[in-house]
Structure formats: C-alpha cells, structure tokens
Amino acid sequence: TPYDATQYGAEFQARMALSLTAEQTWYLDGSAGLALQNTQTDQSIVAGFLSKPVPNNEAVPTSTVHATAGFRYTPLKFSALLEYRFVGQRTPSQSNLLISGTADMDRPGYFLAPYHVLNATVAIAAVRFSEGRELGFQLRLTNILNQRWGEIGFNGVDVPNLGTAALLSARVNL
C-alpha cells in the first residue's frame, strides 16, 4: 500500500465428511469458516496537521463467515451444495468518503452495510447416454434471498450487486 498500516487478523476453518449409509452411496460434507481482520492506518502530517489520510479497513470487511453443506449420491453422480456467506460492515474507499464530505478519516461519514448471501448448486457429474458418450449438467442459483448491498466503488459511486441469478451449464463428452 502507498501508506503505512498495521494489520491484525485471524482465520478459522473446519471441514467434515461422512457416509450416511453402510453401502457408502449417500454422503454428507460440510465446511465452516470465520475470518477476522483489522487494518489500522497510521496518522501523518498533512498540510501541517496530524491527520489520517486513509481510513482504517478501507474496502474490506472486518468479519466474514462462510459455511457449506453438501450431499452426494454416488450411483447417479448427483450432488447438491448449499452455501451461506456473511460479509460484515465495510469502510468505503477514500475517494468516496472525500466526495461524501468526510474530512476526518478517523470518522468515516458512512459505511457499507453488512449482508447475508445464500447460494445453491445441483449437479449430475456425468450420465452415459451411449458408448463413450456422457452428459453432465449443473444449475447454480446465486443470492437466492435476493439481498441488496453495495460493493466498494470509486469516484462517488458504490456499486450495487446483481440480485438473484441462475446459471445452467452442460457438458457433453462425445
């Protein structure tokens, strides 16, 4: 970075997987993670005054949570995944704070709100439909709850998210 900063942080992750049946055809797996971070920018002399030219934690959340739960059925090569993500409050970019009238970067004039996101994916890896030919597909739904939030932007604009989206993809091996 073009300024002096001290960063503190911690990250915790856990994963598990287990078979739900003696035949080992149904599986459950999951993961969870938590990340904490804090970036403290230093004060410096600007125009003869001690001030902070860049806000703390500019453009990054101080906390995030990520969790997944997945199911697999091996005879059909079927899988489903549910993903949850929390992104904590974020400090806007310095340029947006200046445009909004923030003079003291120790006291930002506004913050970007935290948000929750839920995504889901279902897939069939490969189904043989003739000798040597397979078809697989995946459907991914993002932001199922249609949450609205802003991402860090510049020049006075914080960028809105896209809302709910669906992506269907197919793979054919001929």
Side-chain angles (χ1 to χ4, degrees), residues 127-143:
V127 176
R128 179 169 284 162
F129 61 91
S130 70
E131 188 62 37
R133 295 187 171 125
E134 295 179 333
L135 171 66
F137 77 92
Q138 176 177 304
L139 173 63
R140 179 161 173 79
L141 301 173
T142 58
N143 192 9

Side-chain angles (χ1 to χ4, degrees), residues 11-76:
E11 186 173 342
F12 307 94
Q13 291 188 5
R15 294 189 64 86
M16 68 86 167
L18 62 102
S19 176
L20 298 176
T21 60
E23 301 84 24
Q24 296 188 342
T25 54
W26 282 97
Y27 291 90
L28 171 66
D29 54 48
S31 67
L34 167 68
L36 305 170
Q37 79 85 36
N38 191 359
T39 301
Q40 296 293 313
T41 56
D42 295 339
Q43 292 188 339
S44 60
I45 304 290
V46 178
F49 296 97
L50 186 63
S51 71
K52 184 177 284 208
V54 178
N56 293 332
N57 299 306
E58 180 184 27
V60 294
T62 56
S63 59
T64 57
V65 174
H66 184 255
T68 62
F71 303 93
R72 288 180 290 139
Y73 183 60
T74 54
L76 292 180

Side-chain angles (χ1 to χ4, degrees), residues 104-140:
D104 183 355
M105 292 299 153
D106 262 338
R107 294 176 192 81
Y110 74 101
F111 292 94
L112 294 171
Y115 61 90
H116 302 266
V117 178
L118 191 62
N119 302 322
T121 304
V122 293
I124 292 182
V127 176
R128 179 169 284 162
F129 61 91
S130 70
E131 188 62 37
R133 295 187 171 125
E134 295 179 333
L135 171 66
F137 77 92
Q138 176 177 304
L139 173 63
R140 179 161 173 79

Side-chain angles (χ1 to χ4, degrees), residues 19 27 32 53 57 65 70 82 85 87-89 96 98-99 101 108 110 147 170:
S19 176
Y27 291 90
N57 299 306
V65 174
L82 191 61
R85 187 167 37 109
V87 176
Q89 175 178 283
N96 281 10
L98 290 171
I99 288 171
Y110 74 101
Q147 298 292 302

